[in-house]
């Protein structure tokens, strides 16, 4: 059973790629009709992920991933094609129609939709059920009192969707069974557990927080113990790992905080659900929390995408921890992840150890802001926390402190900051600065040696997918997603190169583009041909169709570019393109491009064009097109001169070659004048 083709096309056309991508990635302008941000599919410090809303496509010039809006949802949420279409259709409120494999109709909708959509719907109905129970159940009085005691009224509970799980063990099960959910679906969702006598409600007699992903879908729940007779002693019980809920990747409150995080370029990491609530109600709308686990690498990737965490615009990550031993351990764990951020990292701890929820309750909203304002560099807090465990009153304790602190200082990325902490640690330990510096340098050597064995270096400025030895391409270089094999110095293996930057050519490997050789992207002729193709694909309506379609089969000197131009011609040329919208034109070219050529077409469709205005774009597009046409004529002139030299003066062949040469020279002058004078 499959979704009808016309319905798929409707979903693809009506789903705005910039809106869908923007829920996962902070996008910023990258020229006319283009946006860019940090890739959600690999770690990077400099944005190489580009989106072209007019054509409905995206491409990462770092890892080579690309596609349309359906491809993005498939890849970012690990869905099947059908599940991705169903999710986008649900967002549009568009009812899908299905047909069997022979093309026959299968009714207005199929009975069994994709698993993810079923689980999302089960969680949505469960959250609604829990919220209703908080308001109506007599047993929920304990939950309502819990919220009141912490300064949260009914409006706050409704804003965050807080609910209550009834104490009987099958109340939710009966509710969801009545709405058609199977036992397997209820168990897979994590809403039910399975015992010897069958299924039972996982959450019973507990206050419930719905946990949503960045799109706002409920993917799990956190449940707080309320009653002494609760047989589960854990204060908080979370949804287990499910196809929707992965605790190492979710952040509570991210659905509410994402826009403020992107706007302010700041995120506040707190420790609990009530802390998130307190921060938001106090006006700190960037607060999020982990869900039953320490802040780790997957959380870093989520936060970096929301921040748009790159070197061009400095952001900030503020951690709040309790002042106890557990809080200090959490700070050291966060410190170990700090190296993955470009943003500045800080830690805020109330003097009396109160968390944001208690602080707001006792001292009001201003105290929460004061807590965040009191933040100190995470480096300082983590190092001092580690030294607190050493007896610095003895020589042995100070030596141990140096062994503890030196590797932490060695991990600091910026040399100036690192040297500053060398001096501070020397003062804290009453040791010579030179001795501390020697230990720090030794630790950095150890890191580098370990990194060389693994292929990447923690504590250095080389992120995964970065430019040092990883083969990452800029928007003007790559074809393949394999290694650059040119003879130049920067031929490191990695994603999206296809050329050694100092050599003449490199062979792209790894995604079907073997054989499309790419020359040095610094060559001005290469750049001109690439930019002309980008204009043919992106802005055909701005080009003189006659001139564009007059380009011959050999107009492009680079074989890979020539193959793309052949696909443009096969799709109908620019005169035909001007009768279509940009999305349809892109699909037409991709539809005729050979498998080895399609990845390069995808790159060129989203490659940023170096202009900031529509008027400038028009002049630029015509100019680069005329430049390629002029180069084609120059090559023809060279061929004609050679032919003229090989023929006898006065012969018909010589006379024809001379006439052709004069015509070519005239055309070259005409193209030159038009290009120089703006078309």
């Amino acid at each position: 059973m499959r979704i009808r083709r016309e319905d798929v096309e409707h979903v693809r056309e009506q789903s705005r790629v910039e809106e869908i991508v923007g829920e996962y990635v902070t996008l910023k302008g990258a020229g006319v009709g283009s946006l860019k941000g940090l890739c959600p599919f690999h770690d990077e410090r400099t944005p190489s992920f580009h989106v072209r809303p007019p054509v409905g496509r995206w491409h990462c010039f770092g890892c080579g991933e690309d596609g349309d809006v359906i491809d993005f949802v498939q890849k970012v949420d690990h869905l099947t094609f059908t599940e991705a279409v169903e999710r986008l259709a649900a967002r549009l409120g568009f009812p899908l129609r299905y047909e069997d494999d022979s093309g026959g109709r299968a009714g207005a909708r199929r009975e069994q939709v994709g698993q993810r959509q079923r689980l999302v719907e089960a969680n949505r109905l469960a959250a609604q059920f829990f919220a209703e129970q908080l308001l109506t159940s007599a047993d929920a009085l304990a939950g309502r009192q819990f919220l009141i005691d912490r300064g949260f009224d009914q409006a706050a509970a409704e804003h965050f969707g807080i609910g209550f799980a009834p104490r009987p063990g099958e109340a939710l099960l009966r509710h969801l069974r009545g709405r058609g959910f199977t036992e397997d679906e209820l168990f897979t969702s994590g809403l039910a557990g399975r015992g010897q006598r069958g299924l039972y409600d996982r959450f019973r007699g507990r206050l419930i927080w719905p946990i949503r992903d960045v799109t706002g879908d409920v993917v799990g729940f956190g449940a707080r113990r309320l009653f002494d007779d609760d047989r589960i002693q854990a204060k908080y019980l979370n949804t287990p790992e499910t196809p929707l809920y992965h605790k190492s990747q979710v952040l509570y409150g991210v659905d509410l905080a994402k826009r403020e995080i992107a706007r302010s370029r700041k995120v506040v990491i707190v420790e609990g659900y009530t802390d998130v609530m307190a921060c938001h109600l106090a006006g700190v709308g960037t607060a999020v929390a982990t869900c039953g686990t320490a802040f780790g690498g997957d959380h870093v990737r989520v936060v970096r995408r929301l921040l748009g965490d790159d070197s061009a615009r400095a952001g900030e990550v503020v951690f709040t921890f309790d002042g106890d031993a557990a809080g200090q351990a959490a700070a050291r764990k966060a410190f170990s992840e700090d190296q993955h951020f470009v943003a500045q990292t800080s830690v805020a701890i109330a003097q009396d150890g109160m968390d944001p929820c208690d602080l707001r309750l006792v001292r009001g909203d201003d105290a929460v802001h004061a807590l965040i304002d009191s933040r100190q560099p995470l480096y300082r807090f983590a190092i001092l926390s580690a030294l607190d465990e050493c007896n610095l009153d003895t020589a042995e304790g100070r030596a141990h402190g140096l062994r503890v602190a030196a590797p932490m200082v060695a991990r600091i990325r910026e040399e100036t900051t690192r040297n500053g902490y060398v001096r501070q640690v020397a003062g804290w330990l009453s040791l010579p600065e030179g001795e501390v510096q020697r230990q720090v340098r030794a630790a950095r050597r150890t890191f580098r040696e370990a990194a060389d064995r693994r292929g990447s270096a923690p504590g250095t400025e080389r992120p995964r997918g970065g430019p040092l030895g990883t083969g990452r391409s800029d928007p003007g270089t790559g074809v393949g997603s394999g290694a650059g094999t040119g003879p130049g110095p920067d031929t490191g293996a990695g994603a999206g190169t296809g050329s050694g930057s100092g050599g003449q050519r490199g062979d792209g490997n790894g995604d079907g583009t073997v054989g499309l050789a790419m020359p040095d992207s610094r060559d001005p002729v290469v750049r001109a041909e690439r930019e002309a193709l980008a204009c043919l694909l992106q802005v055909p309506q701005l080009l003189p169709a006659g001139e564009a379609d007059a380009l011959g089969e050999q107009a492009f000197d680079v074989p890979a570019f020539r193959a793309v131009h052949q696909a443009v011609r096969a799709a109908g040329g620019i005169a035909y393109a001007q009768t279509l919208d940009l999305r349809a034109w892109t699909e037409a070219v991709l539809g005729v491009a050979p498998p080895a050529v399609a990845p390069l077409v995808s790159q060129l469709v989203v490659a940023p064009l170096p202009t900031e205005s529509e008027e400038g774009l028009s002049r630029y597009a015509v100019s680069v097109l005329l430049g390629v046409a002029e180069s084609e004529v120059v090559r023809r002139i060279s061929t004609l001169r050679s032919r003229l030299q090989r023929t006898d003066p006065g012969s018909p062949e010589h006379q024809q070659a001379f006439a052709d040469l004069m015509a070519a020279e005239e055309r070259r002058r005409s193209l030159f004048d038009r290009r120089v004078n703006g078309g």
Side-chain angles (χ1 to χ4, degrees):
M1 193 175 297
R2 63 191 179 191
I3 303 169
R4 294 179 67 175
R5 179 174 297 178
E6 56 265 39
D7 287 359
V8 172
E9 290 307 313
H10 178 85
V11 169
R12 181 181 283 117
E13 291 172 4
Q14 296 302 314
S15 298
R16 297 176 63 87
V17 66
E18 68 273 24
E19 290 182 0
I20 302 301
V21 173
E23 293 179 348
Y24 299 83
V25 179
T26 296
L27 298 172
K28 57 185 178 181
V32 177
S34 183
L35 302 166
K36 67 179 178 180
L38 293 171
C39 180
F41 304 114
H42 80 291
D43 290 338
E44 61 180 1
R45 291 188 183 276
T46 302
S48 59
F49 184 89
H50 287 252
V51 178
R52 284 276 296 169
V55 298
R57 296 191 68 85
W58 54 274
H59 180 86
C60 177
F61 292 97
C63 67
E65 294 281 3
D66 72 352
D68 60 21
V69 67
I70 297 174
D71 296 319
F72 181 83
V73 173
Q74 274 191 264
K75 294 174 182 179
V76 79
D77 284 324
H78 308 288
L79 306 180
T80 65
F81 176 83
T82 297
E83 289 171 336
V85 174
E86 288 170 344
R87 181 169 182 178
L88 290 169
R91 178 189 176 96
L92 294 170
F94 178 71
L96 295 171
R97 296 166 296 174
Y98 297 83
E99 58 189 16
D100 58 32
D101 291 339
S102 64
R105 292 194 177 190
R109 57 185 300 180
R110 67 178 183 179
E111 295 179 359
Q112 297 295 324
V113 298
Q115 182 194 55
R116 188 183 194 283
Q117 283 301 110
R118 293 287 291 172
L119 299 185
V120 167
E121 180 65 6
N123 279 338
R124 186 188 70 81
L125 291 173
Q128 186 180 72
F129 174 79
F130 290 143
E132 292 171 352
Q133 293 298 309
L134 180 64
L135 297 177
T136 60
S137 171
D139 285 340
L141 177 61
R144 295 193 293 270
Q145 192 60 49
F146 176 93
L147 294 172
I148 291 170
D149 290 345
R150 284 155 181 78
F152 305 125
D153 58 16
Q154 181 177 333
E158 291 176 354
H159 179 69
F160 291 94
I162 312 304
F164 175 77
R167 302 187 77 178
E170 294 189 357
L172 179 63
L173 283 175
R174 287 194 299 270
H175 179 73
L176 294 179
R177 281 170 176 154
R179 280 153 179 78
F181 289 93
T182 67
E183 292 205 353
D184 284 345
E185 288 172 335
L186 295 174
F187 179 73
T188 301
S189 71
L191 293 168
R194 179 172 281 146
Q196 293 181 345
R197 292 184 293 181
L199 296 186
Y200 59 86
D201 287 354
R202 181 174 300 278
F203 306 115
R204 289 163 287 173
R206 289 191 171 228
L207 197 62
I208 300 291
W209 280 264
I211 300 168
R212 295 181 171 88
D213 65 11
V214 71
T215 70
D217 285 340
V218 178
V219 296
F221 297 90
R224 212 281 186 187
R225 191 173 191 263
L226 294 173
F227 301 103
D228 292 338
D229 61 354
D230 191 332
R231 288 181 297 177
I232 299 177
Q233 295 298 312
K235 182 184 292 186
Y236 281 93
L237 179 66
N238 283 53
T239 295
E241 293 287 306
T242 74
L244 296 183
Y245 182 82
H246 306 285
K247 65 181 180 180
S248 65
Q249 299 174 11
V250 294
L251 291 167
Y252 176 72
V254 70
D255 57 309
L256 299 174
K258 61 183 180 182
R259 297 196 185 281
E260 182 62 18
I261 290 171
R263 186 196 67 79
S264 66
R265 295 191 52 74
K266 179 187 290 185
V267 61
V268 176
I269 313 293
V270 298
E271 293 196 294
Y273 307 134
T274 57
D275 293 331
V276 171
M277 294 175 67
C279 285
H280 280 252
L281 294 174
V284 181
T286 59
V288 296
T290 58
C291 299
T293 186
F295 189 85
D298 288 335
H299 296 124
V300 169
R301 283 184 279 278
V302 173
V303 170
R304 289 196 66 225
R305 292 198 297 270
L306 293 172
L307 282 173
D309 186 34
D310 63 76
S311 56
R313 300 185 301 164
E316 185 175 10
V317 180
V318 181
F319 294 92
T320 67
F321 298 113
D322 293 338
D324 57 14
Q328 292 182 354
R332 287 196 290 274
K333 169 65 174 174
F335 177 84
S336 69
E337 300 293 346
D338 168 81
Q339 310 308 313
H340 298 289
F341 285 111
V342 175
Q344 297 175 350
T345 52
S346 307
V347 60
I349 297 179
Q351 292 298 319
D352 46 13
M354 287 193 290
D355 58 34
C357 181
D358 292 336
L359 203 59
R360 175 176 178 267
L361 184 64
V362 174
R363 298 179 184 168
D365 293 349
D366 289 344
V368 177
H369 287 273
L371 169 63
I372 305 304
D373 291 341
S374 70
R375 60 194 179 276
Q376 59 179 294
L378 180 58
Y379 301 134
R380 176 185 175 88
F381 178 80
I383 295 169
L384 286 175
S385 295
L387 292 179
D388 282 344
E389 299 178 3
C390 305
N391 181 5
L392 302 184
D393 293 332
T394 67
E396 292 81 4
R398 290 191 292 274
H400 176 62
L402 179 57
R403 289 193 295 273
V404 169
M408 299 179 75
V409 176
R411 290 182 180 274
I412 297 174
R413 293 187 303 269
E414 296 180 357
E415 183 178 5
T416 301
T417 304
R418 187 168 62 247
N419 290 337
Y421 277 97
V422 166
R423 291 189 291 273
Q424 287 200 321
V425 169
W428 293 334
L429 298 177
S430 298
L431 292 174
E433 184 178 324
E435 176 60 21
V436 176
Q437 187 69 269
R438 282 191 293 274
Q439 292 291 334
V440 169
R441 287 173 178 167
R444 286 184 65 78
R445 283 196 299 272
T446 300
F447 293 153
R448 282 195 294 269
E449 291 168 0
D452 287 342
R453 292 191 294 271
R454 292 193 308 268
S456 63
T460 72
E461 297 186 51
R462 285 194 286 174
R464 255 179 61 203
L468 299 183
T470 60
R472 198 191 130 229
S473 74
D474 62 31
T477 57
V479 178
S481 60
T485 58
D490 295 325
T491 56
T497 59
S499 70
S501 69
Q504 288 300 307
R505 327 216 139 186
D507 295 324
N509 297 286
D511 65 353
T513 59
V514 176
L516 288 181
M518 293 293 294
D520 186 348
S521 63
R522 296 171 298 182
D523 185 330
V525 174
V526 173
R527 287 202 304 271
E529 290 193 359
R530 188 193 71 85
E531 291 163 3
L533 278 175
C535 291
L536 289 172
L537 291 166
Q538 294 184 31
V539 289
Q541 74 280 4
L542 300 181
L543 300 174
E547 200 68 70
D549 289 339
L551 294 175
E553 293 184 0
Q554 302 301 314
F556 290 85
D557 195 43
V558 179
F561 294 160
R562 191 180 307 139
V564 174
H565 182 231
Q566 289 168 356
V568 168
R569 289 161 58 92
I574 299 305
Y576 176 65
Q578 292 176 351
T579 69
L580 305 174
D581 62 34
L582 291 180
R583 190 188 300 261
W585 170 235
T586 299
E587 294 304 320
V589 177
L590 286 171
V592 298
V597 179
L600 182 52
V601 173
S602 293
Q603 288 188 27
L604 292 168
V605 162
V606 300
L609 299 175
T611 180
E612 298 296 330
S613 69
E614 289 286 352
E615 181 181 356
L617 179 59
S618 179
R619 291 196 301 268
Y620 169 80
V622 172
S623 175
V624 294
L625 172 68
L626 295 177
V628 169
E630 186 180 348
S631 295
E632 181 184 24
V633 173
V634 167
R635 288 194 293 273
R636 175 165 171 73
I637 288 172
S638 177
T639 300
L640 290 170
R641 284 176 175 168
S642 175
R643 184 184 304 169
L644 199 65
Q645 293 292 326
R646 299 194 308 271
T647 57
D648 295 329
S651 68
E653 292 82 2
H654 186 88
Q655 293 174 359
Q656 184 62 52
F658 181 78
D660 291 344
L661 177 60
M662 292 299 99
E665 288 282 8
E666 179 61 29
R667 175 161 170 74
R668 183 194 65 76
R669 285 192 294 271
S670 173
L671 289 169
F672 175 80
D673 291 341
R674 291 170 60 193
R675 181 168 58 83
V676 171
N677 295 320

